[in-house]
Amino acid sequence: GPPLAQVKLEILREFRRIFIDENTYEMEPSAMLPYEVLKNSGHIDKFCDVILTDGSVIVRADHYIEDAIGDTFLLPTNLGTSYAAVVEKVLAIKKEIIIEKNARLLRLKNAEAASRTAARVPVSADHSTGTLTREEVGRILAHFECETKHLADLSKDEIDFVVILYNLHSPEQRPFNPSRDFNLIFKLNDRQFLRPEIAQSQFTNFRKVLELNNEKLPFSTLAIGRSYRNEISARGGMLRTKEFEQAETEYFSEGGRREGFVAVRESRVRVLPR
C-alpha cells in the first residue's frame, strides 16, 4: 500500500545517493531475457530448488523437511559411496521398528486401560505412514558411523535418504517420489524468460556502456526494477516471493582495482528507525 510504497522510494533514493557517481550509468533493462543469456549465466541449468512430490502435491524439499523435523541431521558417512546398501539396511531396520510400534499399539488397545492411555497420548492405528521420532531414528543410525550435516548442504540423494530415514510422507500421506530440481525461472516460451535477477542485462550491455565511457575503465552500471521467480512455496515478507524489486550495481575495472567498491563497502542504509 501507500506507506510501504513511500518506504521503497526512500530506500531507492538513498541507494542512488550512495552508489551513483560521475562514472555510473543507470539503465532500465527489459524484464525479458533470451535463452542464450540465461544459459550462459548458468540459470537454465542451476537456478533451481529441490522439490518433493507424490505425483500430485508438490512441496519445496528444504521447507517441508525443516518444518517436519528440523535442519540438522546425522547421516551415515558412507552414504555417498554405498547409497543402495545403506538404504536397504535402513529399510529393514525401519520395518522392524514399525512392526514393534503397531504391535505395541495393539497391546494397548486390548488392555483395560487402553482408552485412558489413548486419551492422554493419541496414537495412529497404523504407523507405516507416520514420521519416526528422533529416538527411533537414533536406533537406526546406531548401526552406522555418522556425521552431522545441515539441510542446506544436502544433495538430492541425501534429501531422499532423510525422507526414507524419517518415514516422511506427503501432506496427503502418500509416499514421495525421488527428489528433483525445479527451475525457478518464469518461462514465457522456449526462447524467452522473465528475468530472475537484474544483473544479467548489465553484463550484456557492457560493450554499449564501454563505448559511452570512451572505451575506458573503470565505470559502474546501476539498474533498478522488478525480478521474477517461480517460487514453489513463496512466503510472506521481503524474501522468497514471486515478484520483487531489485536494485543492483556492477563495477567494471581492470588490474584488480577496486576504488569504487572500497568507497561504498562500509555503507549502511537504515530502512526503519529503531
Side-chain angles (χ1 to χ4, degrees):
L4 289 181
Q6 189 62 39
V7 170
K8 187 190 80 170
L9 290 175
E10 292 297 326
I11 293 173
L12 295 181
R13 185 178 294 116
E14 184 68 4
F15 183 85
R16 287 189 172 96
R17 184 191 68 79
I18 293 172
F19 290 104
I20 290 182
D21 58 26
E22 65 275 9
N23 292 319
T24 301
Y25 295 86
E26 184 169 356
M27 59 181 65
E28 293 186 12
S30 170
M32 293 184 294
L33 288 174
Y35 172 87
E36 289 77 11
V37 170
L38 293 171
K39 178 67 175 177
N40 289 328
S41 68
H43 284 74
I44 294 294
D45 299 320
K46 299 180 180 179
F47 198 66
C48 304
D49 276 337
V50 179
I51 63 170
L52 293 167
T53 178
D54 62 3
S56 176
V57 177
I58 299 175
V59 297
R60 187 172 144 182
D62 57 347
H63 285 176
Y64 194 78
I65 292 173
E66 183 175 6
D67 290 344
I69 51 180
D71 61 4
T72 305
F73 309 94
L74 282 176
L75 297 181
T77 55
N78 63 336
L79 187 60
T81 56
S82 306
Y83 183 84
V86 172
V87 169
E88 183 179 2
K89 187 172 183 179
V90 166
L91 288 174
I93 302 171
K94 188 173 74 171
K95 183 178 180 180
E96 294 176 2
I97 291 174
I98 291 173
I99 290 173
E100 289 177 9
K101 291 176 76 169
N102 285 329
R104 187 165 59 249
L105 175 61
L106 183 61
R107 289 195 298 270
L108 283 172
K109 292 180 69 175
N110 291 334
E112 290 183 356
S115 59
R116 293 194 299 274
T117 303
R120 291 199 306 271
V121 186
V123 289
S124 169
D126 181 5
H127 287 281
S128 61
T129 59
T131 302
L132 297 192
T133 66
R134 288 275 182 179
E135 180 183 358
E136 291 162 343
V137 169
R139 287 175 55 189
I140 297 174
L141 293 178
H143 294 78
F144 303 92
E145 181 181 343
C146 295
E147 60 183 344
T148 301
K149 283 207 168 184
H150 192 276
L151 179 58
D153 300 323
L154 300 188
S155 66
K156 289 194 289 293
D157 278 349
E158 289 170 330
I159 286 173
D160 290 338
F161 181 79
V162 169
V163 170
I164 293 170
L165 178 64
Y166 283 86
N167 209 41
L168 294 181
H169 286 67
S170 75
E172 303 299 324
Q173 293 304 306
R174 291 191 289 262
F176 282 120
N177 298 325
S179 60
R180 62 180 176 87
D181 288 328
F182 180 86
N183 197 284
L184 298 177
I185 306 175
F186 274 116
K187 184 177 181 180
L188 301 177
N189 54 51
D190 288 341
R191 308 304 300 177
Q192 289 185 312
F193 304 81
L194 289 178
R195 65 185 179 206
E197 54 189 45
I198 206 167
Q200 284 77 25
S201 295
Q202 296 183 70
F203 294 111
T204 56
N205 283 286
F206 171 80
R207 169 51 60 183
K208 292 180 180 178
V209 180
L210 183 63
E211 291 173 358
L212 286 173
N213 205 46
N214 297 317
E215 301 285 338
K216 294 180 180 179
L217 293 173
F219 64 82
S220 65
T221 59
L222 181 145
I224 297 172
R226 291 293 177 96
S227 293
Y228 307 86
R229 296 181 185 176
N230 191 16
E231 294 286 352
I232 290 297
S233 52
R235 298 191 172 187
M238 298 175 66
L239 301 176
R240 308 303 308 203
T241 57
K242 290 181 179 287
E243 179 183 356
F244 54 94
E245 196 86 6
Q246 266 194 318
E248 185 161 335
T249 183
E250 301 288 343
Y251 283 89
F252 300 93
S253 63
E254 58 183 343
R257 297 174 59 191
R258 301 190 300 170
E259 290 87 346
F261 171 71
V262 171
V264 299
R265 67 180 177 184
E266 300 299 331
S267 298
R268 298 290 185 271
V269 177
R270 176 172 290 184
V271 177
L272 296 172
R274 291 185 176 180

